[in-house]
Amino acid sequence: MIVYFLRHANAGKPLANPKKDEKRALDKEGIEQCGIVGRALAALDVQVDTIISSPLKRAAQTASLVGNELSYEGKLQFEDALRPGASFADFRRLLERYAKQEAIMVVGHNPNLSEFLGRTISENGCEAGTDLKKGAVAKVELDRNSALLNWSVTPKVLRSLYSAAAESSRPKTSRK
């Protein structure tokens, strides 16, 4: 199974009231990040069977916007195992529930999403140091007894690659 770990895009500053913070939406930069990430994943021909998101608004928006860029037609799944403060045991149970899928995308929050990524790819349950920035995505291949991190990129890196590719694809003109 392939698991794409996607941290929600930029949503401004956290709010002091936890109930209000759950409803915090993406800001303009976050919406732009989702477009960049989604288009880059589509260019890489990423296809997922299921997109699973934290139920918090900023994660759900990220999942929806990136899913649209991927032409994902399924229904978004919401799981408490991706909420802030969820445990790795909760996350492992989530993976077990979706084990028959070829590829899934999980959309959540730090610090737990980075922890889940690190613990998924590290041997014997020790923690690998990973830090998913806002809007970052990582691809992990899971087998029964192993996990392999294929890549991890930030929206800033994707934006740079996109700009470089656009410049290099422009036709060269001679000045005579």
Side-chain angles (χ1 to χ4, degrees), residues 75-88:
K75 184 178 177 194
L76 292 179
Q77 302 299 311
F78 297 101
E79 293 277 353
D80 286 337
L82 294 169
R83 282 180 162 275
S87 72
F88 186 64

Side-chain angles (χ1 to χ4, degrees), residues 16-79:
N17 180 325
K19 286 291 181 199
K20 287 185 179 178
D21 193 61
E22 287 193 6
K23 294 175 176 49
R24 183 166 39 104
L26 297 178
D27 60 17
K28 184 179 176 185
E29 180 184 347
I31 292 168
E32 182 184 320
Q33 286 174 334
C34 289
I36 291 165
V37 170
R39 286 188 294 278
L41 293 175
L44 291 169
D45 200 28
V46 167
Q47 296 178 358
V48 294
D49 300 310
T50 306
I51 298 178
I52 309 153
S53 175
S54 157
L56 277 63
K57 185 171 187 171
R58 57 193 175 273
Q61 283 182 301
T62 300
S64 178
L65 291 169
V66 171
N68 285 341
E69 292 291 340
L70 294 175
S71 300
Y72 175 72
E73 295 180 359
K75 184 178 177 194
L76 292 179
Q77 302 299 311
F78 297 101
E79 293 277 353

Side-chain angles (χ1 to χ4, degrees), residues 57-164:
K57 185 171 187 171
R58 57 193 175 273
Q61 283 182 301
T62 300
S64 178
L65 291 169
V66 171
N68 285 341
E69 292 291 340
L70 294 175
S71 300
Y72 175 72
E73 295 180 359
K75 184 178 177 194
L76 292 179
Q77 302 299 311
F78 297 101
E79 293 277 353
D80 286 337
L82 294 169
R83 282 180 162 275
S87 72
F88 186 64
D90 295 332
F91 181 71
R92 292 299 297 177
R93 285 191 291 277
L94 177 149
L95 290 179
E96 289 169 12
R97 282 195 300 281
Y98 292 93
K100 293 189 189 302
Q101 305 290 320
E102 279 187 47
I104 64 172
M105 178 177 286
V106 294
V107 185
H109 313 267
N110 265 2
N112 58 335
L113 196 65
S114 287
E115 175 197 343
F116 298 164
L117 172 59
R119 292 183 68 181
T120 299
I121 62 172
S122 64
E123 214 171 307
N124 300 323
C126 64
E127 291 185 41
T130 60
D131 183 23
L132 289 172
K133 303 291 184 199
K134 289 181 181 170
V137 63
K139 177 183 178 184
V140 174
E141 285 186 57
L142 288 177
D143 288 333
R144 186 170 293 244
N145 298 317
S146 66
L148 173 67
L149 174 64
N150 288 125
W151 46 258
S152 180
V153 291
T154 64
K156 185 176 181 179
V157 169
L158 292 172
R159 184 181 294 118
S160 297
L161 291 172
Y162 184 79
S163 296

